[in-house]
Amino acid sequence: MSMLSDPSAKYSAFPQVPITDRQWPTRTITAPPRWLSTDLRDGNQAIVDPMDAHKKNRFFDLLVEIGVKEIEVGFPSAGATEFDFISGLVQSGRVPDDVLVQVLTQSREDLIRTSFASLQGAKQAIVHLYNAVSPAWREVVFGMTKDQVREIAVTGAKVMRDEAAKQPGTKWTFQYSPETFSTAELDFSLEVCEAVMGVLAPTPEHPIILNLPATVEAATPNIYADQVEYFIRNLPDRDSAVISLHTHNDRGTGVAAAELALMAGADRVEGCLFGNGERTGNCCLVTMALNMYTQGINPDLDFSNIDRVIETVEYCNELPVHQRHPYGGELVYTAFSGSHQDAIKKGFGAHEVQNDPQWRVPYLPIDPADLGRSYEAVIRVNSQSGKGGFAWVLEQDQGLKLPKKMQADFSPHVQRMADELGRELNASDIWLAFQQAYHVQTSGKQFQLVDYEESRTSDGTRIFTGRIEVGGTPQSVSGRGNGLISSVLSTIEDAFGLQLEIVDYSEHALTAGRDSRAAAYLECRTNDGRSLWGCGIDEDIATASVRAVLSAANSAHLLAQAAK
Ligand SMILES: CC(=O)SCCNC(=O)CCNC(=O)[C@H](O)C(C)(C)COP(=O)(O)OP(=O)(O)OC[C@H]1O[C@@H](n2cnc3c(N)ncnc32)[C@H](O)[C@@H]1OP(=O)(O)O
Ligand SMILES: CC(C)C(=O)C(=O)O
């Protein structure tokens, strides 16, 4: 078996929704929805080893910490692990007063009763009832007519109502899901929901939650938005219902579908952190919340320390968060490629200089610092990288701000190293390449400063007197010039026959405070017209410039040797 040349023989296009004056495309999201995390239910039922009580408690605490106010804590009738965790949680007093726990049950009397039993002692809770309503499920799973399937829901709703009445100390909220809503006839979903509302008698003050699942995502996200808008516009007593979304990600658009359906008028979104859930997962709450954040909307969920959230989620689910997962993945703020690095580096530079409160760094839709991420990993260097990449790493790691022309000079050294090693270059690789290229702090270099003094004559001439190790042997040398650098240049010309002319010079402090050091950069021209760069680093800025001259002299010496 292989892919069909005519897939239409097996698969049909999803039909359009009969709505011509749809409103959602012109709306924008301006406020966060009510969020429900179903990590401990839909997420938990989709992992290899469902969470034990320890993991569930840890996940629950994380969700509370993030600010989730509605948490589906499990499926009490699934077994003792679930039941005991849920009843232990509600009786422990660990559920904050502003947090609602929710449990899910099939529409079967015994399971509904068990679900209510698990919530004994809760101050408030949501009981969530479901049954599938779409044709394939009606026919294949239940083997029932529409009327019989509606009856499953109505019977379950009656049991719910009666069980709730037996525990009047708890403030109950009822939730009903016409499971498989996204692949069901819309008018039938409406009919079943209306029938359930008829039993549970919601009011605007005490509404029912109608949760509209895209149990299996089967169409483009605009279709789901149409379905939700159609449902809302045709639901009698809309005021008595909270419209909730529950999307899956089979086509990779679970978040998009929830966003568009929110524009269609929904009030609430169910999902999981980092999109865990059945098959391809549920709507990712992190992505959806942070999508809102990047539009200037406070999502009411706090991901200020996203790495800690990931750590807990990975531990509990025993599933890794993908390195490219929106907002959280390890690589999502990292640029390896040259042109991206260049733009990001410039963007950060402009951001610092202009002090612009609006975030406008190219290629980064969000400031990683808002999520507790450092800027270190924003740029990483490999063989696809450019000058902006290693310049950024040297600046972050060593504090060096290389002049633009020196970046171009250093670039082939980095490229060579990346090609030779065939892997990413880390900060120490780049620092090593820099030290080797400019003879900074490396042993075995030809000229090495031992010590020096500077004096002036009455006419302002500077005199450099010092000791320079030449191939390991200290040598006393001196020279004159109208400045320190020119006096060192004349020294190396007199002592070693190396003629260098200064083309460019710059310097900067490396770190602030008592331990501050300085870096000096020097471009020189040799007598045969070649350009050479030198760099010196020292606690004393004048000494850094002397070292920069010797750094260039070492390169000139190597060139001269090579030419022989
Ligand atoms: C889309 C979703 O994610 S829905 C949530 C799904 N989650 C889970 O199922 C996790 C927890 N579930 C479980 O542990 C088990 O399913 C249990 C313990 C609750 C029930 O197990 P079982 O009694 O063996 O029933 P099982 O789940 O296999 O369902 C089979 C029967 O329930 C019926 N059924 C399935 N869903 C529903 C429903 N929502 N309402 C009413 N009946 C239902 C089926 O038609 C089938 O009936 P049949 O035996 O007459 O053919
Ligand atoms: C029970 C419902 C909400 C569900 O998980 C689904 O349909 O995906």
Side-chain angles (χ1 to χ4, degrees):
M1 291 293 281
S2 57
M3 284 181 71
L4 306 174
S5 58
D6 175 15
S8 71
K10 194 167 181 178
Y11 305 101
S12 311
F14 200 89
Q16 289 287 316
V17 174
I19 178 170
T20 51
D21 57 345
R22 52 181 66 75
Q23 303 294 306
W24 64 263
T26 54
R27 299 206 188 115
T28 47
I29 297 170
T30 55
R34 280 168 58 172
W35 302 107
L36 172 119
S37 153
T38 184
D39 286 278
L40 299 176
R41 198 280 296 171
D42 207 323
N44 187 51
Q45 76 188 41
I47 53 182
V48 180
D49 293 315
M51 290 175 239
D52 58 14
H54 163 72
K55 285 185 173 162
K56 277 204 148 190
N57 275 311
R58 212 167 138 183
F59 213 130
F60 180 83
D61 291 342
L62 173 76
L63 292 166
V64 170
E65 210 179 294
I66 291 168
V68 184
K69 300 296 180 202
E70 297 177 45
I71 303 175
E72 193 160 55
V73 289
F75 199 122
S77 59
T81 309
E82 287 287 89
F83 187 97
D84 293 348
F85 162 72
I86 294 163
S87 97
L89 179 72
V90 295
Q91 284 168 23
S92 68
R94 284 176 49 241
V95 180
D97 285 348
D98 61 349
V99 170
L100 268 166
V101 293
Q102 171 171 312
V103 299
L104 180 66
T105 174
Q106 291 179 5
S107 190
R108 287 162 59 187
E109 187 171 344
D110 51 337
L111 307 191
I112 299 170
R113 288 192 203 291
T114 305
S115 304
F116 274 90
S118 74
L119 292 167
Q120 214 149 30
K123 286 188 195 145
Q124 51 182 0
I126 305 171
V127 180
H128 178 188
L129 179 79
Y130 78 96
N131 65 286
V133 293
S134 67
W137 272 256
R138 288 196 309 260
E139 289 151 24
V140 178
V141 181
F142 296 128
M144 286 182 180
T145 63
K146 278 184 172 175
D147 285 349
Q148 289 169 315
V149 166
R150 189 187 55 240
E151 206 42 41
I152 297 179
V154 168
T155 308
K158 285 179 182 161
V159 180
M160 250 172 115
R161 180 196 58 198
D162 297 347
E163 285 302 306
K166 289 183 198 160
Q167 294 186 49
T170 302
K171 185 173 173 235
W172 298 105
T173 298
F174 301 125
Q175 173 165 329
Y176 175 67
S177 288
E179 192 201 349
T180 63
F181 165 84
S182 57
T183 46
E185 305 90 333
L186 283 164
D187 290 330
F188 185 57
S189 296
L190 277 160
E191 186 185 320
V192 178
C193 287
E194 280 173 54
V196 168
M197 287 172 87
V199 174
L200 296 171
T203 61
E205 295 70 40
H206 190 209
I208 186 172
I209 299 171
L210 293 178
N211 187 48
L212 307 179
T215 306
V216 178
E217 184 173 57
T220 48
N222 59 305
I223 298 281
Y224 182 64
D226 277 355
Q227 292 170 325
V228 171
E229 183 166 333
Y230 182 99
F231 183 93
I232 289 174
R233 286 166 67 169
N234 289 284
L235 180 73
D237 300 324
R238 160 71 176 100
D239 295 357
S240 301
V242 170
I243 302 299
S244 177
L245 308 171
H246 180 108
T247 57
H248 279 270
N249 197 37
D250 299 80
R251 296 168 55 94
T253 53
V255 170
E259 287 179 327
L260 301 189
L262 203 55
M263 287 154 61
D267 310 298
R268 181 180 187 262
V269 171
E270 296 197 349
C272 291
L273 300 184
F274 300 107
N276 190 29
E278 288 281 5
R279 303 179 308 284
T280 52
N282 284 102
C283 169
C284 170
L285 296 184
V286 179
T287 306
M288 189 155 170
L290 291 173
N291 281 353
M292 284 181 198
Y293 182 78
T294 62
Q295 303 304 300
I297 300 163
N298 182 343
D300 289 341
L301 295 181
D302 186 0
F303 295 109
S304 298
N305 189 345
I306 202 159
D307 285 335
R308 227 173 59 77
V309 176
I310 292 171
E311 199 182 304
T312 303
V313 169
E314 288 187 333
Y315 168 76
C316 294
N317 289 342
E318 295 183 38
L319 280 177
V321 169
H322 196 276
Q323 291 173 324
R324 301 237 176 260
H325 193 97
Y327 301 107
E330 192 189 318
L331 293 180
V332 299
Y333 304 109
T334 301
F336 289 100
S337 66
S339 61
H340 289 221
Q341 295 174 334
D342 173 60
I344 290 171
K345 186 168 179 292
K346 285 173 181 159
F348 271 111
H351 188 67
E352 220 168 84
V353 172
Q354 292 159 4
N355 210 11
D356 183 355
Q358 285 291 308
W359 181 250
R360 291 190 311 129
V361 175
Y363 295 112
L364 292 180
I366 190 170
D367 183 350
D370 290 359
L371 307 180
R373 284 270 168 90
S374 76
Y375 294 144
E376 265 163 42
V378 164
I379 288 178
R380 287 166 58 176
V381 175
N382 63 17
S383 61
Q384 301 278 307
S385 304
K387 298 187 286 296
F390 62 71
W392 169 272
V393 173
L394 275 177
E395 186 170 339
Q396 299 295 307
D397 190 51
Q398 297 293 329
L400 295 178
K401 297 178 185 162
L402 303 197
K404 200 106 205 195
K405 278 175 76 185
M406 189 177 189
Q407 292 175 16
D409 186 74
F410 181 43
S411 184
H413 296 268
V414 179
Q415 193 61 42
R416 203 175 312 120
M417 188 181 230
D419 286 335
E420 273 168 21
L421 294 179
R423 60 160 170 82
E424 180 192 357
L425 301 185
N426 58 33
S428 14
D429 293 326
I430 295 168
W431 177 224
L432 180 66
F434 185 82
Q435 292 177 98
Q436 285 170 345
Y438 301 105
H439 321 284
V440 180
Q441 293 167 13
T442 45
S443 58
K445 57 194 175 187
Q446 177 70 358
F447 307 116
Q448 194 158 345
L449 181 68
V450 179
D451 52 33
Y452 79 97
E453 276 175 7
E454 190 197 11
S455 54
R456 287 169 198 243
T457 60
S458 54
D459 66 353
T461 302
R462 310 274 186 106
I463 304 173
F464 173 86
T465 315
R467 283 187 304 154
I468 291 176
E469 233 176 60
V470 183
T473 312
Q475 205 170 302
S476 294
V477 288
S478 78
R480 290 163 174 258
N482 54 10
L484 175 61
I485 292 175
S486 59
S487 66
V488 184
L489 285 172
S490 85
T491 302
I492 58 167
E493 183 174 354
D494 293 350
F496 314 122
L498 287 172
Q499 258 188 321
L500 293 174
E501 182 195 332
I502 293 220
V503 177
D504 191 26
Y505 175 80
S506 62
E507 61 186 36
H508 66 81
L510 279 180
T511 45
R514 270 192 309 138
D515 300 327
S516 73
R517 293 183 306 151
Y521 310 98
L522 189 75
E523 185 186 8
C524 300
R525 191 173 298 123
T526 60
N527 55 1
D528 57 355
R530 297 214 210 188
S531 167
L532 283 177
W533 279 88
C535 173
I537 299 169
D538 200 277
E539 281 89 28
D540 171 54
I541 183 64
T543 309
S545 68
V546 175
R547 292 191 188 283
V549 176
L550 291 177
S551 154
N554 275 302
S555 293
H557 171 74
L558 285 179
L559 276 179
Q561 292 289 100
K564 277 186 190 165

